[in-house]
Amino acid sequence: MNISSVIVHIKDENLMDGVLNSLHKMSECEVVTHEDKKIVALISVENFEDELETFKAMERINGVAGVAMVYSYQEDLEGDLKRLKSSGKLSEVLTNEDMNAKDIIYSGSIHHKVK
């Protein structure tokens, strides 16, 4: 069992009801409270893969500016990591303990997140 707490940041307060409705429809999500343009929610799932998919689904909700994970508890962290490593879904940056941080090149963009 994985349990996480997240803060969901809303683009505009007028979109709050729609985002809340979408979150309430997610069986793995429990809305704890909301105020201004922030929602505090809990994610309860079986494994890391489901946790990650739920997190990404929250990010895709219309009106969500971003989701920030505050706390995450993995009951079987070693098993989850072993499955992820063997699946090839993790970047070498996350799995190679000999990699030097100076050798990591970021080529993404966060400008779509900043308004």
Side-chain angles (χ1 to χ4, degrees):
M1 175 63 77
N2 288 23
I3 301 170
S4 305
S5 62
V6 296
I7 297 175
V8 181
H9 298 273
I10 310 302
K11 292 177 183 176
D12 184 293
E13 286 185 51
N14 296 328
L15 302 172
M16 178 66 78
D17 289 339
V19 174
L20 284 169
N21 286 335
S22 295
L23 291 173
H24 284 298
K25 291 177 184 175
M26 299 173 74
S27 62
E28 54 280 315
C29 175
E30 176 186 345
V31 173
V32 177
T33 189
H34 60 86
E35 185 176 343
D36 298 325
K37 296 193 299 183
K38 295 182 183 111
I39 300 170
V40 175
L42 294 176
I43 298 172
S44 299
V45 293
E46 288 301 315
N47 55 51
F48 181 76
E49 293 91 340
D50 293 342
E51 180 180 24
L52 189 57
E53 182 53 41
T54 302
F55 186 89
K56 289 179 179 181
M58 291 172 138
E59 287 183 317
R60 290 190 299 265
I61 294 172
N62 183 39
V64 171
V67 181
M69 188 165 296
V70 177
Y71 175 82
S72 182
Y73 166 79
Q74 284 88 21
E75 193 170 67
D76 183 21
L77 180 59
E78 290 301 318
D80 283 345
L81 288 175
K82 195 178 287 185
R83 278 192 305 281
L84 279 172
K85 284 180 181 179
S86 67
S87 73
K89 292 181 182 179
L90 283 180
S91 166
E92 182 186 4
V93 171
L94 300 174
T95 59
N96 184 346
E97 293 182 21
D98 297 324
M99 183 172 278
N100 189 326
K102 294 177 190 174
D103 298 331
I104 299 171
I105 299 170
Y106 178 72
S107 60
S109 172
I110 62 166
H111 297 290
H112 66 283
K113 296 278 187 181
V114 180
K115 302 254 186 231

Short mmCIF file of all heavy atoms in Angstrom, two decimals, residues 22-58:
data_model
loop_
_atom_site.label_atom_id
_atom_site.label_comp_id
_atom_site.label_asym_id
_atom_site.label_seq_id
_atom_site.Cartn_x
_atom_site.Cartn_y
_atom_site.Cartn_z
N SER A 22 -13.72 16.41 -10.39
CA SER A 22 -12.85 15.41 -11.03
C SER A 22 -12.09 14.60 -10.00
O SER A 22 -11.96 13.38 -10.13
CB SER A 22 -11.86 16.11 -11.97
OG SER A 22 -12.53 16.72 -13.04
N LEU A 23 -11.59 15.25 -8.96
CA LEU A 23 -10.85 14.54 -7.92
C LEU A 23 -11.76 13.59 -7.15
O LEU A 23 -11.36 12.48 -6.81
CB LEU A 23 -10.18 15.53 -6.96
CG LEU A 23 -9.02 16.34 -7.54
CD1 LEU A 23 -8.57 17.40 -6.54
CD2 LEU A 23 -7.86 15.44 -7.94
N HIS A 24 -12.99 14.01 -6.87
CA HIS A 24 -13.93 13.16 -6.14
C HIS A 24 -14.29 11.90 -6.93
O HIS A 24 -14.63 10.87 -6.34
CB HIS A 24 -15.21 13.93 -5.79
CG HIS A 24 -15.03 14.89 -4.65
ND1 HIS A 24 -14.68 14.50 -3.38
CD2 HIS A 24 -15.16 16.23 -4.60
CE1 HIS A 24 -14.59 15.55 -2.59
NE2 HIS A 24 -14.87 16.63 -3.31
N LYS A 25 -14.18 11.96 -8.25
CA LYS A 25 -14.49 10.80 -9.10
C LYS A 25 -13.35 9.77 -9.10
O LYS A 25 -13.54 8.63 -9.53
CB LYS A 25 -14.78 11.24 -10.53
CG LYS A 25 -16.07 12.01 -10.67
CD LYS A 25 -16.27 12.48 -12.09
CE LYS A 25 -17.52 13.34 -12.21
NZ LYS A 25 -17.67 13.92 -13.55
N MET A 26 -12.18 10.16 -8.64
CA MET A 26 -11.03 9.26 -8.63
C MET A 26 -11.08 8.42 -7.36
O MET A 26 -10.95 8.94 -6.25
CB MET A 26 -9.72 10.06 -8.68
CG MET A 26 -9.57 10.90 -9.93
SD MET A 26 -8.12 11.98 -9.89
CE MET A 26 -6.82 10.77 -10.15
N SER A 27 -11.25 7.10 -7.50
CA SER A 27 -11.41 6.23 -6.34
C SER A 27 -10.16 6.18 -5.46
O SER A 27 -10.25 5.93 -4.27
CB SER A 27 -11.77 4.82 -6.79
OG SER A 27 -10.73 4.28 -7.59
N GLU A 28 -8.99 6.44 -6.03
CA GLU A 28 -7.75 6.39 -5.27
C GLU A 28 -7.40 7.72 -4.62
O GLU A 28 -6.37 7.87 -3.99
CB GLU A 28 -6.59 5.91 -6.15
CG GLU A 28 -6.37 6.68 -7.43
CD GLU A 28 -7.32 6.30 -8.56
OE1 GLU A 28 -7.55 5.12 -8.81
OE2 GLU A 28 -7.83 7.23 -9.18
N CYS A 29 -8.28 8.70 -4.74
CA CYS A 29 -8.02 10.05 -4.24
C CYS A 29 -9.07 10.45 -3.21
O CYS A 29 -10.26 10.21 -3.40
CB CYS A 29 -8.03 11.04 -5.40
SG CYS A 29 -7.87 12.75 -4.92
N GLU A 30 -8.61 11.08 -2.12
CA GLU A 30 -9.52 11.61 -1.12
C GLU A 30 -9.17 13.09 -0.90
O GLU A 30 -8.05 13.42 -0.54
CB GLU A 30 -9.36 10.86 0.20
CG GLU A 30 -10.19 11.41 1.33
CD GLU A 30 -9.90 10.75 2.66
OE1 GLU A 30 -9.27 9.68 2.69
OE2 GLU A 30 -10.29 11.34 3.69
N VAL A 31 -10.13 13.95 -1.15
CA VAL A 31 -9.92 15.38 -0.92
C VAL A 31 -10.06 15.64 0.57
O VAL A 31 -11.06 15.28 1.19
CB VAL A 31 -10.94 16.23 -1.72
CG1 VAL A 31 -10.82 17.70 -1.35
CG2 VAL A 31 -10.73 16.03 -3.21
N VAL A 32 -9.04 16.27 1.15
CA VAL A 32 -9.04 16.55 2.59
C VAL A 32 -9.61 17.94 2.86
O VAL A 32 -10.48 18.10 3.70
CB VAL A 32 -7.61 16.44 3.17
CG1 VAL A 32 -7.59 16.80 4.64
CG2 VAL A 32 -7.06 15.04 2.94
N THR A 33 -9.12 18.93 2.14
CA THR A 33 -9.59 20.30 2.32
C THR A 33 -9.19 21.13 1.10
O THR A 33 -8.40 20.69 0.28
CB THR A 33 -9.01 20.92 3.61
OG1 THR A 33 -9.65 22.18 3.87
CG2 THR A 33 -7.51 21.11 3.53
N HIS A 34 -9.75 22.32 1.01
CA HIS A 34 -9.37 23.24 -0.06
C HIS A 34 -9.59 24.67 0.41
O HIS A 34 -10.45 24.95 1.25
CB HIS A 34 -10.13 22.97 -1.36
CG HIS A 34 -11.62 23.10 -1.23
ND1 HIS A 34 -12.27 24.30 -1.37
CD2 HIS A 34 -12.56 22.19 -0.95
CE1 HIS A 34 -13.56 24.12 -1.20
NE2 HIS A 34 -13.77 22.85 -0.93
N GLU A 35 -8.76 25.56 -0.14
CA GLU A 35 -8.85 26.98 0.18
C GLU A 35 -8.13 27.75 -0.91
O GLU A 35 -7.10 27.32 -1.41
CB GLU A 35 -8.20 27.25 1.53
CG GLU A 35 -8.36 28.67 2.01
CD GLU A 35 -7.78 28.91 3.40
OE1 GLU A 35 -7.55 27.93 4.12
OE2 GLU A 35 -7.55 30.07 3.73
N ASP A 36 -8.68 28.91 -1.24
CA ASP A 36 -8.13 29.74 -2.30
C ASP A 36 -7.93 28.90 -3.56
O ASP A 36 -8.88 28.35 -4.07
CB ASP A 36 -6.83 30.42 -1.86
CG ASP A 36 -7.02 31.34 -0.67
OD1 ASP A 36 -8.09 31.98 -0.60
OD2 ASP A 36 -6.14 31.39 0.19
N LYS A 37 -6.71 28.78 -4.04
CA LYS A 37 -6.43 28.00 -5.26
C LYS A 37 -5.64 26.75 -4.94
O LYS A 37 -4.86 26.27 -5.76
CB LYS A 37 -5.68 28.87 -6.27
CG LYS A 37 -6.51 30.06 -6.76
CD LYS A 37 -5.93 30.75 -7.98
CE LYS A 37 -4.58 31.30 -7.74
NZ LYS A 37 -4.03 32.05 -8.89
N LYS A 38 -5.87 26.15 -3.76
CA LYS A 38 -5.14 24.95 -3.36
C LYS A 38 -6.10 23.89 -2.81
O LYS A 38 -7.04 24.20 -2.10
CB LYS A 38 -4.10 25.28 -2.29
CG LYS A 38 -3.01 26.19 -2.77
CD LYS A 38 -2.01 26.44 -1.66
CE LYS A 38 -0.97 27.41 -2.14
NZ LYS A 38 -1.03 28.69 -1.51
N ILE A 39 -5.79 22.65 -3.16
CA ILE A 39 -6.54 21.50 -2.65
C ILE A 39 -5.54 20.55 -2.03
O ILE A 39 -4.51 20.23 -2.63
CB ILE A 39 -7.30 20.77 -3.78
CG1 ILE A 39 -8.30 21.71 -4.46
CG2 ILE A 39 -8.00 19.52 -3.25
CD1 ILE A 39 -8.92 21.14 -5.74
N VAL A 40 -5.84 20.07 -0.83
CA VAL A 40 -5.02 19.04 -0.19
C VAL A 40 -5.75 17.71 -0.37
O VAL A 40 -6.94 17.61 -0.06
CB VAL A 40 -4.79 19.33 1.31
CG1 VAL A 40 -4.03 18.20 1.97
CG2 VAL A 40 -4.06 20.65 1.49
N ALA A 41 -5.03 16.72 -0.89
CA ALA A 41 -5.65 15.42 -1.15
C ALA A 41 -4.71 14.28 -0.76
O ALA A 41 -3.50 14.48 -0.65
CB ALA A 41 -6.00 15.30 -2.64
N LEU A 42 -5.30 13.11 -0.54
CA LEU A 42 -4.54 11.90 -0.25
C LEU A 42 -4.69 10.94 -1.42
O LEU A 42 -5.77 10.81 -1.98
CB LEU A 42 -5.05 11.22 1.01
CG LEU A 42 -4.86 11.97 2.32
CD1 LEU A 42 -5.53 11.20 3.46
CD2 LEU A 42 -3.40 12.17 2.61
N ILE A 43 -3.61 10.26 -1.75
CA ILE A 43 -3.62 9.20 -2.76
C ILE A 43 -3.35 7.89 -2.02
O ILE A 43 -2.37 7.78 -1.29
CB ILE A 43 -2.52 9.42 -3.82
CG1 ILE A 43 -2.73 10.72 -4.57
CG2 ILE A 43 -2.46 8.23 -4.78
CD1 ILE A 43 -1.58 11.09 -5.50
N SER A 44 -4.22 6.91 -2.19
CA SER A 44 -4.03 5.58 -1.60
C SER A 44 -4.11 4.54 -2.71
O SER A 44 -5.18 4.36 -3.32
CB SER A 44 -5.12 5.29 -0.56
OG SER A 44 -5.07 6.22 0.48
N VAL A 45 -3.00 3.87 -2.98
CA VAL A 45 -2.92 2.89 -4.07
C VAL A 45 -2.08 1.70 -3.64
O VAL A 45 -1.45 1.71 -2.59
CB VAL A 45 -2.34 3.53 -5.35
CG1 VAL A 45 -3.28 4.57 -5.93
CG2 VAL A 45 -0.99 4.16 -5.08
N GLU A 46 -2.04 0.68 -4.49
CA GLU A 46 -1.32 -0.55 -4.16
C GLU A 46 0.19 -0.48 -4.35
O GLU A 46 0.95 -1.12 -3.65
CB GLU A 46 -1.87 -1.72 -4.98
CG GLU A 46 -3.25 -2.16 -4.53
CD GLU A 46 -3.28 -2.59 -3.09
OE1 GLU A 46 -2.39 -3.33 -2.64
OE2 GLU A 46 -4.21 -2.15 -2.37
N ASN A 47 0.65 0.29 -5.37
CA ASN A 47 2.09 0.28 -5.67
C ASN A 47 2.52 1.62 -6.27
O ASN A 47 1.70 2.49 -6.54
CB ASN A 47 2.44 -0.88 -6.62
CG ASN A 47 1.61 -0.85 -7.87
OD1 ASN A 47 1.51 0.16 -8.54
ND2 ASN A 47 0.99 -1.97 -8.19
N PHE A 48 3.82 1.74 -6.48
CA PHE A 48 4.39 2.99 -6.98
C PHE A 48 3.88 3.34 -8.36
O PHE A 48 3.62 4.51 -8.66
CB PHE A 48 5.91 2.89 -6.98
CG PHE A 48 6.58 4.15 -7.46
CD1 PHE A 48 6.65 5.26 -6.64
CD2 PHE A 48 7.11 4.22 -8.73
CE1 PHE A 48 7.25 6.43 -7.08
CE2 PHE A 48 7.72 5.39 -9.18
CZ PHE A 48 7.80 6.49 -8.35
N GLU A 49 3.73 2.34 -9.22
CA GLU A 49 3.26 2.60 -10.57
C GLU A 49 1.87 3.25 -10.55
O GLU A 49 1.61 4.21 -11.27
CB GLU A 49 3.22 1.32 -11.42
CG GLU A 49 4.58 0.74 -11.71
CD GLU A 49 5.03 -0.29 -10.68
OE1 GLU A 49 4.50 -0.30 -9.54
OE2 GLU A 49 5.94 -1.07 -11.00
N ASP A 50 0.98 2.72 -9.70
CA ASP A 50 -0.36 3.29 -9.57
C ASP A 50 -0.32 4.70 -8.97
O ASP A 50 -1.09 5.57 -9.35
CB ASP A 50 -1.25 2.39 -8.71
CG ASP A 50 -1.55 1.06 -9.37
OD1 ASP A 50 -1.36 0.94 -10.59
OD2 ASP A 50 -1.96 0.13 -8.64
N GLU A 51 0.61 4.90 -8.03
CA GLU A 51 0.77 6.21 -7.42
C GLU A 51 1.19 7.24 -8.47
O GLU A 51 0.63 8.33 -8.55
CB GLU A 51 1.82 6.13 -6.31
CG GLU A 51 2.08 7.43 -5.60
CD GLU A 51 3.14 7.28 -4.51
OE1 GLU A 51 3.97 6.35 -4.58
OE2 GLU A 51 3.12 8.10 -3.59
N LEU A 52 2.15 6.86 -9.28
CA LEU A 52 2.63 7.75 -10.33
C LEU A 52 1.55 8.04 -11.36
O LEU A 52 1.37 9.19 -11.79
CB LEU A 52 3.87 7.13 -11.00
CG LEU A 52 4.63 8.00 -11.97
CD1 LEU A 52 5.10 9.28 -11.30
CD2 LEU A 52 5.84 7.23 -12.50
N GLU A 53 0.79 7.04 -11.75
CA GLU A 53 -0.28 7.23 -12.72
C GLU A 53 -1.37 8.14 -12.16
O GLU A 53 -1.90 8.99 -12.86
CB GLU A 53 -0.88 5.89 -13.15
CG GLU A 53 -1.97 6.02 -14.19
CD GLU A 53 -1.56 6.83 -15.42
OE1 GLU A 53 -0.42 6.67 -15.90
OE2 GLU A 53 -2.38 7.64 -15.89
N THR A 54 -1.70 7.97 -10.88
CA THR A 54 -2.71 8.83 -10.25
C THR A 54 -2.22 10.27 -10.20
O THR A 54 -2.96 11.22 -10.50
CB THR A 54 -3.04 8.33 -8.83
OG1 THR A 54 -3.50 6.99 -8.91
CG2 THR A 54 -4.09 9.20 -8.16
N PHE A 55 -0.95 10.46 -9.85
CA PHE A 55 -0.34 11.79 -9.81
C PHE A 55 -0.43 12.45 -11.18
O PHE A 55 -0.84 13.60 -11.31
CB PHE A 55 1.11 11.66 -9.35
CG PHE A 55 1.81 12.96 -9.12
CD1 PHE A 55 1.77 13.59 -7.89
CD2 PHE A 55 2.55 13.55 -10.14
CE1 PHE A 55 2.43 14.80 -7.67
CE2 PHE A 55 3.21 14.75 -9.93
CZ PHE A 55 3.15 15.38 -8.69
N LYS A 56 -0.06 11.71 -12.21
CA LYS A 56 -0.11 12.25 -13.57
C LYS A 56 -1.55 12.55 -14.01
O LYS A 56 -1.80 13.54 -14.70
CB LYS A 56 0.54 11.28 -14.55
CG LYS A 56 2.04 11.22 -14.41
CD LYS A 56 2.64 10.23 -15.39
CE LYS A 56 4.14 10.17 -15.29
NZ LYS A 56 4.72 9.23 -16.26
N ALA A 57 -2.49 11.70 -13.60
CA ALA A 57 -3.91 11.94 -13.93
C ALA A 57 -4.40 13.23 -13.28
O ALA A 57 -5.17 13.98 -13.88
CB ALA A 57 -4.76 10.76 -13.49
N MET A 58 -3.95 13.48 -12.06
CA MET A 58 -4.32 14.72 -11.37
C MET A 58 -3.76 15.93 -12.13
O MET A 58 -4.45 16.94 -12.28
CB MET A 58 -3.78 14.73 -9.94
CG MET A 58 -4.45 13.75 -9.03
SD MET A 58 -3.58 13.70 -7.46
CE MET A 58 -4.96 13.64 -6.34
#
